[in-house]
Amino acid sequence: MDLFNLEIQNIQFKNKKVPISAEMRPLYRITRLLLVLEYASRKNTASLIKLQLFDWTFQNSERYSVLKNLISTENFPIIKFDPFVIRALNYGIGLGLIEINDTNQNFTLSSKGKEWLFSVKSQEVFQNELQLLKIIKKSITEVKIKELSKGRYKL
């Protein structure tokens, strides 16, 4: 029997739903970024590198101590820039939850984003992230992040 000379009569494809983990869903990522903008950013505004840093931290609870130590150390961690953060920011801007500042290209929490966070906080979700953000507060500034990351990343 020659496999290459078989005559194929009919091919059928069936779409099957594939579960996606919560971390990969855009609204999950958008909400985490909104939390960073509200709790860990001055004037509810943050740069892309700051949002990437916090997203990197949220992906693994062992990294929480790295972020806490960033306040007192001079060692900026090697982080992976996740393309899903960019996608979440794009969706957040499209939904009106996040605004982009034209002068410095930073991201700002909109009033619609504040309303979204209010409804999320009433459901008691994202407790681990909130706990970390309440400890960190606004202590990791944009200036500190830029100083520490200069040697590691070209800004």
Side-chain angles (χ1 to χ4, degrees):
M1 181 166 154
D2 188 12
L3 294 177
F4 294 108
N5 290 329
L6 286 178
E7 204 171 300
I8 299 173
Q9 299 293 327
N10 191 0
I11 297 177
Q12 292 182 349
F13 295 95
K14 293 184 181 181
N15 287 334
K16 293 186 178 184
K17 294 183 179 181
V18 178
I20 299 174
S21 70
E23 291 86 18
M24 303 304 278
R25 296 179 186 183
L27 281 179
Y28 182 85
R29 290 280 180 106
I30 292 169
T31 305
R32 288 195 325 192
L33 295 175
L34 294 177
L35 288 170
V36 172
L37 290 171
E38 183 176 16
Y39 286 99
S41 303
R42 297 180 196 274
K43 297 182 183 178
N44 296 336
T45 301
S47 65
L48 178 60
I49 194 167
K50 184 172 187 173
L51 295 173
Q52 288 279 3
L53 172 67
F54 275 87
D55 183 75
W56 174 82
T57 303
F58 291 151
Q59 290 177 15
N60 185 336
S61 60
E62 294 172 3
R63 296 177 181 164
Y64 285 20
S65 62
V66 174
L67 189 65
K68 290 176 191 175
N69 293 336
L70 189 60
I71 299 166
S72 60
T73 186
E74 295 297 318
N75 296 325
F76 193 79
I78 297 174
I79 63 172
K80 174 187 168 224
F81 278 58
D82 194 343
F84 284 105
V85 172
I86 304 296
R87 183 171 288 172
L89 287 169
N90 285 334
Y91 282 132
I93 291 167
L95 293 170
L97 303 172
I98 299 171
E99 298 170 347
I100 190 162
N101 188 332
D102 291 331
T103 57
N104 59 9
Q105 301 299 309
N106 286 344
F107 301 93
T108 305
L109 181 65
S110 70
S111 57
K112 191 174 178 182
K114 290 178 185 179
E115 291 173 17
W116 175 266
L117 279 179
F118 181 76
S119 66
V120 167
K121 288 187 281 188
S122 66
Q123 297 175 19
E124 298 182 9
V125 291
F126 296 97
Q127 293 303 310
N128 293 336
E129 291 89 344
L130 278 170
Q131 184 179 3
L132 174 68
L133 290 170
K134 287 179 181 179
I135 292 169
I136 298 289
K137 298 181 183 171
K138 299 176 191 316
S139 61
I140 300 177
T141 64
E142 293 291 338
V143 173
K144 174 116 176 143
I145 289 174
K146 285 182 182 177
E147 281 177 15
L148 295 176
S149 64
K150 271 185 186 176
R152 214 173 283 272
Y153 303 102
K154 302 236 183 218
L155 298 176

